[in-house]
Amino acid sequence: MANLLVLGTQWGDEGKGKIVDLLTPAFEVVARYQGGHNAGHTVWVRGRKIVLHLIPSGILHAGTLCVIGNGLVIAPAAFFKEIGDLEAQGVAAGPARVAVSRGAHLIMPWHPLAERFSEDRRGEKKIGTTCRGIGPAYEDKAARLGVRAGDLADLGILREKIADAVAAKEPVFRAFGLPALDAEAIYREYAGWAEKLGPYLQDVSELLDERMKRGESVLFEGAQGALLDLDHGTYPYVTSSSSTAGGAATGLGVGPRTIHGVLGITKAYTTRVGSGPFPTELDSDLGRTIATRGDEFGATTGRPRRCGWFDAVAVRYACRVNGVDRIALTKPDVLAGLGDIPVCTGYRYKGRLLKSFPPETWMLAEVVPEYRTLAGWPESLRGAADPGSLPKSFVEYVRVLEDLVEARVAIVSTGVERADTVLLEDELRGIVDLDRVRAAAGK
Ligand code: GDP
Ligand code: IMO
Ligand code: MG
């Protein structure tokens, strides 16, 4: 089996968790390459909802090793809370199942404090972050002040690194009236994590290399979405890591040629949490209807997600930046019965039609979307098992989307459960055994 990279092509919450979980049985390893517990990935198994934040979405399949790369930032308390919750639900998540890179950076107690302060100070211009300390942890990484998971192996080094970082932060914290930082107390807390986290720590680059040399295949899992990428997203309304495909190589220590294909997870409409421009946003009752039908509330923060029509300009851009060759289209069932469905095919800026998604976010904030209206589908898509049973107007919607974004739709997701899936390409039957999935679900 070839290795596959799976990532979101919009502003996150495209349904990556469901699709990664569905694909996992075909892979020996699922490896996340960026982000932290800002992610919220929902997987439903026979009516039971499981939300993953830091642990890769392959964890529910016992034979799979889940890897957390050097590109992530880890809050030890959040990591062990998630492990504890999983184990309480009967999902093994010990060191035999989860490997954490020694190069991953740790979220330290000053990170969420600094983030809340920074968000408040921005006022109207706040990013609307998850306030988990993610951004400030990456700031310290770039400032070369970060504490890495591997530093837990030597308590002398750990104490020194924490003391150095606190010495750098202290004057700023004091000047802005933020709580005092006690380096020794922070050291004691993290020394406590050292023993617990130790067994999980590995040289992930070497581990993946060995596994691949043995013939095992890897599913690279992106969190957030392409439009939240630090470089290629709607800066500054982005997350602080490289969520695009390029991030997988640096975030795991693998060569780019180990990525054999890129599957984009794309919602049949658009959502966004937090601030930032959103050309096709529906700030209306219809938008709220879609939010309610799609259960569009943040899996991490519970915040309502902003909803709007499908934006083909944005998704085409995401497909280009990531080399997406196939798409899994999720949540079209939410649009059933809504009448005709507009799709954004272009942007006008000051009357001029733009050739592509603009890198200037201030320009994006002012574009006027152009729409093409497509016939909707009154029929529910739930329970559709094969492509032939999909409504004609929905098949046409898929065809138009494929043309607009320049990528083929290979998978259609029609509901939250694994079995609510239609495969549009025969070759996928070697990866996803839907008959087995349906039999396990009693369908
Ligand atoms: P992720 O962050 O990309 O993993 O996505 P989230 O889990 O944050 O949000 C996606 C939401 O849509 C979750 O509540 C999923 O259970 C749900 N979902 C995924 N696929 C489908 C689908 O095809 N139809 C419907 N109705 N819900 C879906
Ligand atoms: P998944 O993996 C949707 C958004 C936040 C905010 C911006 C920066 O579930 O798709 P951060 O805390 O990361 O510094 O916040 O990014 N954001 C997400 N939006 N889904 C996510 O993850 C997100 N992770 C971060 O709302 O706008
Ligand atoms: Mg999510």
Side-chain angles (χ1 to χ4, degrees):
M1 249 306 291
N3 303 326
L4 181 70
L5 193 151
V6 173
L7 51 70
T9 63
Q10 293 149 317
W11 280 287
D13 304 324
E14 298 91 348
K16 299 177 289 292
K18 171 189 162 164
I19 302 295
V20 168
D21 168 74
L22 179 76
L23 299 175
T24 292
F27 297 85
E28 281 80 16
V29 181
V30 177
R32 247 187 83 176
Y33 56 87
Q34 46 68 235
H37 66 307
N38 47 352
H41 301 156
T42 317
V43 182
W44 284 84
V45 186
R46 289 188 288 277
R48 193 158 56 109
K49 180 184 184 178
I50 296 162
V51 182
L52 299 154
H53 298 285
L54 198 48
I55 309 290
S57 306
I59 193 72
L60 304 182
H61 298 271
T64 310
L65 177 70
C66 288
V67 171
I68 292 178
N70 59 279
L72 280 90
V73 289
I74 299 171
F79 176 77
F80 284 110
K81 161 95 175 57
E82 198 168 332
I83 298 268
D85 287 351
L86 283 167
E87 296 208 315
Q89 295 181 79
V91 179
R97 298 274 341 268
V98 180
V100 177
S101 166
R102 305 209 293 255
H105 280 246
L106 298 179
I107 296 183
M108 304 302 290
W110 55 83
H111 292 140
L113 293 173
E115 183 166 18
R116 265 181 234 116
F117 175 75
S118 150
E119 281 285 270
D120 287 347
R121 198 172 41 103
R122 283 174 184 263
E124 294 268 285
K125 291 184 179 166
K126 71 173 187 208
I127 309 291
T129 72
T130 59
C131 281
R132 298 290 191 270
I134 308 291
Y138 282 111
E139 282 176 40
D140 276 1
K141 174 177 176 175
R144 285 137 314 164
L145 275 174
V147 181
R148 307 210 291 182
D151 298 332
L152 296 172
D154 183 319
L155 294 184
I157 301 248
L158 179 69
R159 177 182 257 139
E160 189 183 334
K161 289 213 165 191
I162 291 176
D164 288 349
V166 167
K169 304 279 158 195
E170 237 290 310
V172 184
F173 267 54
R174 204 170 338 109
F176 288 104
L178 288 166
L181 299 175
D182 179 343
E184 199 48 33
I186 296 171
Y187 162 71
R188 281 196 300 276
E189 182 193 340
Y190 279 71
W193 294 123
E195 204 176 327
K196 282 190 83 180
L197 201 56
Y200 288 88
L201 298 183
Q202 300 233 27
D203 180 332
V204 155
S205 168
E206 187 176 50
L207 170 81
L208 291 176
D209 186 53
E210 284 169 4
R211 293 287 188 127
M212 289 188 279
K213 279 182 177 147
R214 256 195 255 162
E216 296 189 2
S217 51
V218 181
L219 194 159
F220 300 108
E221 181 187 26
Q224 285 76 53
L227 303 179
L228 288 173
D229 180 273
L230 181 59
D231 285 272
H232 302 288
T234 48
Y235 189 89
Y237 300 102
V238 291
T239 192
S240 301
S241 62
S242 300
S243 51
T244 43
T250 51
L252 286 161
V254 298
R257 284 186 300 162
T258 60
I259 301 164
H260 302 130
V262 182
L263 178 74
I265 313 297
T266 304
K267 213 180 264 190
Y269 49 97
T270 314
T271 60
R272 174 161 209 177
V273 199
S275 324
F278 180 173
T280 63
E281 181 168 14
L282 287 164
D283 187 10
S284 62
D285 285 345
L286 184 54
R288 285 179 280 279
T289 301
I290 294 176
T292 307
R293 296 177 58 158
D295 196 17
E296 297 294 357
F297 297 91
T300 293
T301 58
R303 290 179 290 175
R305 296 174 182 152
R306 300 154 67 193
C307 294
W309 296 124
F310 187 85
D311 185 339
V313 183
V315 175
R316 182 168 59 240
Y317 165 74
C319 289
R320 161 159 57 84
V321 167
N322 293 289
V324 167
D325 43 19
R326 290 290 184 275
I327 281 178
L329 189 70
T330 62
K331 307 189 82 162
D333 53 295
V334 172
L335 301 179
L338 282 188
D340 288 348
I341 302 176
V343 169
C344 170
T345 55
Y347 295 156
R348 271 189 195 279
Y349 178 71
K350 296 193 192 297
R352 181 169 56 90
L353 195 63
L354 298 183
K355 214 173 128 244
S356 54
F357 193 78
E360 297 81 7
T361 301
W362 46 264
M363 196 183 274
L364 188 70
E366 284 186 33
V367 298
V368 178
E370 297 215 320
Y371 289 102
R372 171 168 168 193
T373 300
L374 301 173
W377 46 95
E379 307 91 333
S380 161
L381 299 177
R382 292 275 163 96
D386 65 276
S389 64
L390 293 170
K392 265 208 175 79
S393 48
F394 172 64
V395 173
E396 176 63 10
Y397 186 76
V398 171
R399 204 194 58 71
V400 172
L401 260 46
E402 287 180 328
D403 279 354
L404 290 169
V405 308
E406 296 174 21
R408 295 291 308 273
V409 174
I411 299 175
V412 174
S413 170
T414 59
V416 299
E417 293 274 355
R418 291 168 177 164
D420 301 329
T421 305
V422 183
L423 303 180
L424 299 190
E425 291 189 347
D426 278 344
E427 60 202 75
L428 278 174
R429 289 176 214 288
I431 300 182
V432 184
D433 187 348
L434 269 186
D435 291 338
R436 231 177 76 189
V437 166
R438 291 208 178 95
K443 292 195 179 175

